[in-house]
Amino acid sequence: ATYCISRELLWKVHMEAAQVQERAAILAAVAAEKDYVDNYRDAGNSTLSFPTLNEKLSRCRRCFARTVLACPPNLCWKVWLAGGRMELIAGRVDVARKLFLRAYDVVPEKGRSAVLLECARLEEFDGDTELAQAILCKARHSGNSDWKVWIESVSIEMRNGKRERAIHLSRIAVAIHPCTGRLWASLIQLLQPDGEYSQHEALKSALRAVPKSGEVWCEGARIHLNPLVPTFDLNKASQHLSFATKFTPQYGDSFIEALRLELLNRWIVKIALPFINQLERHLLDDESSALDIGGIHAVIGTYVRKAFFTILQAKYVSEKEVSPGNGLAPKLNMNLSQESLPVLDLYGDYANVVDTSKIELRCSNADPNYGLLWFHCRKQSTDSARIILARAKKYVACDVFNFAHFYVSAMVRRAGVILAIRSEQETASNSSTITFEGNEEWDSLLEERLRTAPSLENFLQGSIEDQNAVTLLESDISGVDFITGLVGLNRHKELKSLSLIERRKVLFGSDSLLS
C-alpha cells in the first residue's frame, strides 16, 4: 500500500497499521491472561511470565513513529492524540499526558477544543476529576467550543452523581447549539427522574428545534418503552422509531430499541393477553358496571398485581437461570388452573425464535456507526452491522425476559385504563361526549387518563402479602433502569472499578480521531 498510494495519504496507511497493531496487542494480552487463568493459575505455577501489554505494543509505537514522519504538520496533532490513547491502555499515563500536551502545542485553533476534550478525558482516566472539570470549563468558554465538549461536560457530571449540575449544563448547551440532536437527547434522558411529563416537554422543545434528529425521536420511543412510565405505549414507540431510523440511520441505538419493541410485540404481548382478557371480562360484568372510577382502578390494580407476581413466581421455578448476555429464556412451569388461565410456556432461545430479519436487513443497509448501545454491542472494530445487531438481540432478549413481570403488568395497566374509557363511553347518555378511538381527541383523553390513574408502582404496592414481593418493590429498580434497552448500561459505574481497557472504552471508545 505504501508504494501505491500518493505521498499526501501515506500517513493514513501508517496510522491504520498502528491501530491494527494496537488491536492485535490487546487481543493477544487478553488471550494470554485467559490462557494463564484456565491452564496455569490453578496448578500453582507462579514462575510463568507472559509479555505484558506494554511490551506487546512496541510494534504499534514504531508504526506511530512512521506516521508522525509522514504526516502533514497541520494534522500531526491527531497522531499525537492517537499515540496518547494507546499509552493509556499500557498504563503509561505520564507518557500519554506528554503526547497530549504536544498535540495541544501544534493543533490549529479550529481543533483546540478537541485536544482539550482529550486532555480532560485523560485526567478523569487518571482519577483527577477536578482537573478534568477545569479543563472542560476552559474548553466551554473558548471562542469556538464544540458541542462534543458540552456532551462530555454533562457526562462527567453524571459519572460523579451530580445530576442537577448536568441538567444545568445541558440546558445551556441546547441554548448555544440548538440544532444538535445529541444534546437534546441527553437532556431528555437526564429528566427521567423528574417524571415523564418533564421528559415530554423537553421532547416537544427538541422536536421544534431539530424535527429531523433521529437521536431525539429515539428518546421519544424510549419514554414510551419504559414500563414504569404512565404513558407506556408500544404503538407510539413504533411511530417514533420509524422516524428515528429514517432521519438518522447511522444512529445504531434506534435499531437496538427497535429490537426491544419487536420482542415486546411478538413475545411479551402474548403473555399479557390472558390477564387482559380476564380483566376485560371482569369490567364488563353487571357488578362492575356500577363502579366509580376508584372502584375501577381497584379492579385494574388487582389484575396488575396478579400479572406481576404470577410472572415473577414462574421465573423463580424456571428450569435454569438466565445470565446477562446469553439471551436464553428458559421454560416457565406456570400452572394457573385456579385462575382458569392457560399454561404460559416460554421456550428456549428467544433471541432466535422471534424473527427480526426485517430490522436486520434495514440495519445492514444503513450500516450505523455510533450510539452508546451500539458501541457496547460492538466487541471488535471489524464487526459488521449484522454481527453487532445479533449480539444486541441476545442482550436485549435477556433483559426483556429478566424484567418481563414489569412489562406485562404495564401492559395490563394500560389495557385497563383503555377498557375503563370504553366502558364510560358506552354508558354515556349524551352522544356528543363520545370520543372515537384513533383520532387526536382520543389520544389526548387516553394520555390524560394514563397520567391521572395510579402509577404501576402504586398498583403494585397495594394488598401485598408476599414478603418476597415487598423485598422486590423496596429494591432500587426504578424508571431510570429502563432509560435504554440495556438495563446494565443505565447506571454509571465508578471508573476506578474498571480495568484500564474498559476505562479507556468508556472515556474514549465512542469518539473517532479521524472523523
Side-chain angles (χ1 to χ4, degrees):
T2 56
Y3 291 109
C4 299
I5 201 168
S6 64
R7 186 174 182 181
E8 292 78 10
L9 299 176
L10 184 61
W11 71 278
K12 286 193 174 184
V13 176
H14 292 303
M15 173 73 95
E16 189 66 31
Q19 292 176 334
V20 168
Q21 292 290 349
E22 180 181 346
R23 292 192 293 268
I26 293 173
L27 290 174
V30 171
E33 182 179 359
K34 184 178 184 299
D35 180 66
Y36 171 73
V37 171
D38 293 344
N39 301 317
Y40 298 101
R41 187 176 64 180
D42 294 338
N45 191 342
S46 59
T47 61
L48 290 174
S49 61
F50 297 95
T52 64
L53 178 58
N54 183 37
E55 294 170 343
K56 292 178 182 294
L57 288 169
S58 57
R59 289 186 178 181
C60 179
R61 294 188 179 98
R62 288 196 292 270
C63 289
F64 272 123
R66 297 190 190 101
T67 307
V68 171
L69 294 175
C71 185
N74 63 318
L75 295 174
C76 273
W77 63 277
K78 292 189 176 185
V79 183
W80 297 124
L81 290 181
R85 285 186 178 187
M86 178 268 297
E87 296 295 351
L88 282 177
I89 59 171
R92 301 174 48 169
V93 178
D94 291 336
V95 176
R97 187 176 287 110
K98 291 178 181 178
L99 292 175
F100 281 12
L101 290 176
R102 180 170 292 185
Y104 186 79
D105 290 337
V106 300
V107 66
E109 186 65 27
K110 183 179 179 181
R112 184 144 298 180
S113 61
V115 178
L116 288 173
L117 178 60
E118 295 289 308
C119 292
R121 288 170 173 170
L122 181 145
E123 298 304 335
E124 188 181 5
F125 182 96
D126 196 34
D128 195 343
T129 304
E130 291 186 3
L131 181 54
Q133 291 171 325
I135 294 172
L136 288 172
C137 181
K138 177 179 180 180
R140 291 196 304 271
H141 289 86
S142 63
N144 56 345
S145 64
D146 191 2
W147 62 267
K148 291 182 180 180
V149 172
W150 289 94
I151 283 282
E152 190 64 28
S153 299
V154 172
S155 298
I156 193 174
E157 298 298 340
M158 284 300 297
R159 285 193 288 266
N160 287 277
K162 299 178 180 178
R163 191 179 75 90
E164 294 300 325
R165 171 69 176 164
I167 292 175
H168 174 70
L169 290 174
S170 287
R171 294 193 185 279
I172 297 175
V174 296
I176 297 174
H177 301 280
C179 296
T180 304
R182 275 195 251 185
L183 291 174
W184 283 107
S186 176
L187 176 60
I188 294 168
Q189 278 196 12
L190 288 171
L191 292 174
Q192 202 287 326
D194 296 335
E196 56 88 25
Y197 183 79
S198 299
Q199 285 187 289
H200 273 291
E201 291 301 308
L203 178 64
K204 291 177 183 177
S205 300
L207 291 176
R208 284 193 292 266
V210 277
K212 292 188 177 182
S213 169
E215 296 96 336
V216 173
W217 284 106
C218 183
E219 290 306 317
R222 282 169 168 167
I223 295 173
H224 294 295
L225 286 172
N226 190 330
L228 294 179
V229 163
T231 53
F232 175 79
D233 186 346
L234 298 185
N235 291 329
K236 284 193 175 180
S238 178
Q239 294 171 7
H240 283 69
L241 286 174
S242 176
F243 286 127
T245 54
K246 287 178 182 177
F247 289 144
T248 314
Q250 64 270 30
Y251 184 51
D253 284 16
S254 298
F255 291 98
I256 295 178
E257 295 296 346
L259 282 177
R260 176 164 57 144
L261 175 65
E262 192 75 1
L263 288 167
L264 291 174
N265 273 325
R266 303 186 62 182
W267 175 15
I268 304 302
V269 167
K270 295 179 181 178
I271 302 173
L273 279 176
F275 300 101
I276 294 173
N277 292 337
Q278 265 215 338
L279 172 59
E280 183 176 11
R281 288 194 295 269
H282 194 144
L283 290 176
L284 291 177
D285 65 24
D286 295 335
E287 295 180 1
S288 299
S289 60
L291 292 175
D292 60 5
I293 189 65
I296 292 175
H297 284 165
V299 173
I300 296 172
T302 299
Y303 284 90
V304 166
R305 290 189 293 274
K306 179 186 290 188
F308 186 91
F309 295 120
T310 299
I311 301 299
L312 189 61
Q313 181 184 8
K315 290 175 64 178
Y316 282 143
V317 297
S318 60
E319 293 179 347
K320 59 182 179 179
E321 294 294 327
V322 177
S323 59
N326 65 9
L328 293 177
K331 177 181 177 180
L332 302 187
N333 299 317
M334 184 185 300
N335 192 342
L336 305 175
S337 57
Q338 293 179 351
E339 284 76 23
S340 300
L341 290 175
V343 176
L344 304 181
D345 291 329
L346 308 183
Y347 292 98
D349 188 352
Y350 265 83
N352 292 323
V353 171
V354 175
D355 182 18
T356 56
S357 57
K358 291 183 179 180
I359 297 176
E360 294 169 10
L361 179 61
R362 286 163 48 209
C363 183
S364 298
N365 291 335
D367 194 19
N369 54 29
Y370 75 98
L372 177 64
L373 305 187
W374 189 258
F375 282 120
H376 175 74
C377 297
R378 188 186 71 177
K379 300 304 180 184
Q380 305 291 337
S381 60
T382 55
D383 284 349
S384 66
R386 281 190 179 274
I387 293 174
I388 296 171
L389 204 65
R391 190 177 292 121
K393 188 176 178 181
K394 293 181 180 180
Y395 293 168
V396 174
C398 182
D399 267 4
V400 167
F401 172 80
N402 287 336
F403 297 96
H405 45 297
F406 282 100
Y407 285 112
V408 170
S409 54
M411 292 173 187
V412 174
R413 175 189 177 274
R414 174 180 172 79
V417 173
I418 294 174
L419 291 170
I421 298 176
R422 288 176 182 169
S423 177
E424 179 184 312
Q425 299 277 358
E426 290 173 359
T427 57
S429 58
N430 186 358
S431 60
S432 63
T433 62
I434 296 177
T435 304
F436 295 99
E437 294 187 34
N439 58 25
E440 187 174 346
E441 188 178 355
W442 167 268
D443 292 341
S444 299
L445 176 62
L446 177 57
E447 188 172 303
E448 178 188 350
R449 295 295 179 84
L450 287 170
R451 285 187 174 135
T452 55
S455 66
L456 184 60
E457 295 96 323
N458 291 337
F459 274 138
L460 295 176
Q461 288 170 354
S463 303
I464 297 177
E465 298 176 357
D466 186 359
Q467 186 60 39
N468 290 330
V470 176
T471 303
L472 176 75
L473 293 177
E474 290 177 351
S475 66
D476 58 353
I477 296 294
S478 67
V480 175
D481 294 292
F482 298 98
I483 286 179
T484 71
L486 297 179
V487 175
L489 293 183
N490 295 334
R491 295 200 173 186
H492 294 285
K493 298 179 181 178
E494 290 188 7
L495 290 178
K496 294 180 181 178
S497 65
L498 304 177
S499 67
L500 293 179
I501 296 175
E502 292 173 335
R503 204 181 305 176
R504 199 193 83 153
K505 185 176 181 180
V506 169
L507 294 175
F508 298 93
S510 60
D511 194 11
S512 174
L513 289 171
L514 297 179
S515 59

